Amino acid sequence: MIKEEWLKKGFADEIVDQGIDIKAAIGSLKKEKNAVILAHYYQTGDIQDIADFVGDSLALAQWAAKTKADIIVLCGVHFMGETAKIICPDKKVLVPDLNAGCSLADSCPADKFALFVKEHPDHTVISYVNTTAAVKALTDIVVTSTNAKQIVESFPKDEKIIFGPDRNLGNYINSITNRNMLLWDGACHVHEQFSVEKIVALKKEYPDALILAHPECKGAVLTLADFVGSTAALLKYAVKTDKKNLIIATESGVIHEMRKQCPEKNFIPAPPNDSTCACNECNFMRLNTMKKLYNCLKYEWPTIEVDEEIAKKAIKPIKKMLDISEKLGL
Ligand code: 13P
Ligand code: SF4
């Protein structure tokens, strides 16, 4: 009954059981159903706080691979749920709002990518995890921003490589590995938005501040950065540095954990180009809410499903990434 209602309305941001303590109720449902909640650092603070595990894209895949839970609630975006489902085909994988997509994954449609791959038959295909299962099925090895450099470097210098879909990450990896990988022309609308001018202005205001940037940012932002790394790497760096003022050029959700771990530091979200807001949030990530999380656990819906044939192909490059990351101690 509730499912039909939701299908009409989309994914319900309201709960039928009025007056409940939502945090306690999520906790009880989790126990009762042997479920685990995995959340990405770009989720809202309340979801991060209730999750069993919070991590970057690589850590979420690694956690999915080792969990003994029957149900995985992936509080992140659709491709993260798909990756968990491909790794754990026998488990139920839920994402609180199935509309939580990804502009970067959308910038690489599988049919167009298949043509691109076909045009370059002598190339190894490396795909960023921010892709659909269908694109992963066309891929030799998957990477995340945590392991992209090491995985690219695991191939001989003269290996011909296609790297997709993020052109910013691809350009960055080309520059630090001295390669010339052929890049797919995709990008993330959040990371593309950071304003070089506004970051320079912030640096004038806080001359001692360090700039920490995710490699999905434009080259001009990365050039300004004191440290470039994945979400988890930025967090680690922020905790370690003795500098007090830190300008963060990635989705501002990660600042929640940074502030928790370093309440004495001043985290300044890098401003986007054309917004009156001082921070930069991923509208897809923010579709998940506590109420939707409660509903999806209670009704075990919406589930992530992956076509069996696609999943059979996509698991290979994902597994390769997990194996190589384990060997590298990542
Ligand atoms: P990481 O979690 O690998 O840092 O990637 C960031 C991202 O954009 C996830 O959508
Ligand atoms: Fe996709 Fe960008 Fe949102 Fe990450 S931040 S989920 S790459 S749109």
Side-chain angles (χ1 to χ4, degrees):
M1 173 64 178
I2 184 86
K3 250 193 218 180
E4 281 67 47
E5 287 293 300
W6 283 357
L7 282 169
K8 270 187 240 142
K9 283 199 282 193
F11 302 95
D13 202 14
E14 57 194 74
I15 45 179
V16 175
D17 318 298
Q18 295 300 323
I20 58 161
D21 173 345
I22 195 159
K23 274 194 206 164
I26 289 172
S28 315
L29 284 169
K30 228 175 50 176
K31 257 197 202 146
E32 183 193 312
K33 296 175 184 246
N34 188 26
V36 68
I37 300 175
L38 309 182
H40 191 271
Y41 286 120
Y42 299 167
Q43 294 293 284
T44 50
D46 50 2
I47 293 182
Q48 291 189 44
D49 290 344
I50 206 167
D52 296 288
F53 178 79
V54 188
D56 67 357
S57 307
L58 175 64
L60 293 177
Q62 288 170 324
W63 197 268
K66 68 182 179 208
T67 184
K68 299 261 186 295
D70 297 314
I71 297 177
I72 298 174
V73 185
L74 202 309
C75 295
V77 292
H78 193 270
F79 78 79
M80 295 175 177
E82 264 190 350
T83 306
K85 181 67 184 173
I86 293 165
I87 294 169
C88 312
D90 300 330
K91 294 190 194 296
K92 197 172 261 186
V93 178
L94 310 166
V95 169
D97 190 325
L98 277 191
N99 292 316
C102 168
S103 56
L104 178 52
D106 289 348
S107 69
C108 187
D111 55 342
K112 296 210 170 72
F113 193 66
L115 285 176
F116 185 60
V117 170
K118 211 169 162 193
E119 281 163 16
H120 304 92
D122 52 348
H123 283 58
T124 293
V125 182
I126 302 185
S127 291
Y128 194 32
V129 71
N130 298 42
T131 44
T132 58
V135 167
K136 290 187 177 79
L138 299 163
T139 295
D140 294 301
I141 186 160
V142 169
V143 298
T144 74
S145 44
T146 291
N147 56 28
K149 176 177 182 280
Q150 289 93 328
I151 290 182
V152 167
E153 281 178 334
S154 72
F155 290 96
K157 268 260 172 234
D158 57 353
E159 182 92 9
K160 291 181 177 162
I161 296 174
I162 285 176
F163 186 95
D166 192 276
R167 62 169 176 266
N168 294 325
L169 176 66
N171 272 320
Y172 174 69
I173 300 293
N174 269 341
S175 73
I176 59 172
T177 61
N178 210 10
R179 308 255 170 162
N180 192 19
M181 300 185 296
L182 202 52
L183 307 182
W184 182 262
D185 192 18
C188 154
H189 73 300
V190 177
H191 288 88
E192 279 262 297
Q193 270 284 320
F194 292 112
S195 158
V196 174
E197 291 73 21
K198 290 180 190 169
I199 294 174
V200 170
L202 271 177
K203 198 57 191 164
K204 277 196 187 131
E205 201 181 328
Y206 301 94
D208 67 327
L210 294 182
I211 301 168
L212 279 51
H214 195 282
E216 286 174 25
C217 295
K218 288 173 296 197
V221 170
L222 297 180
T223 307
L224 288 175
D226 297 285
F227 179 74
V228 177
S230 68
T231 318
L234 297 184
L235 171 63
K236 210 167 151 190
Y237 188 90
V239 172
K240 229 174 83 187
T241 180
D242 54 8
K243 290 279 190 293
K244 189 176 173 293
N245 292 317
L246 300 166
I247 299 169
I248 307 299
T250 191
E251 215 271 6
S252 60
V254 70
I255 295 177
H256 178 72
E257 186 59 28
M258 289 174 173
R259 287 194 177 123
K260 263 168 84 175
Q261 293 202 32
C262 309
E264 75 290 358
K265 290 184 185 167
N266 180 27
F267 297 103
I268 309 157
N273 270 317
D274 58 356
S275 163
T276 46
C277 166
C279 59
N280 217 332
E281 296 181 352
C282 173
N283 50 318
F284 296 115
M285 285 278 182
R286 306 304 175 112
L287 282 175
N288 295 324
T289 62
M290 286 288 275
K291 287 177 183 166
K292 290 178 193 170
L293 168 56
Y294 169 79
N295 281 333
C296 93
L297 248 178
K298 176 160 179 176
Y299 299 102
E300 299 182 22
W301 186 86
T303 55
I304 293 277
E305 309 297 341
V306 183
D307 174 90
E308 231 176 90
E309 282 310 304
I310 287 180
K312 245 195 251 168
K313 290 182 189 152
I315 186 64
K316 293 179 190 160
I318 294 174
K319 183 107 187 20
K320 271 193 211 162
M321 171 190 75
L322 291 174
D323 290 346
I324 198 166
S325 300
E326 195 182 343
K327 277 191 201 120
L328 291 164
L330 296 170

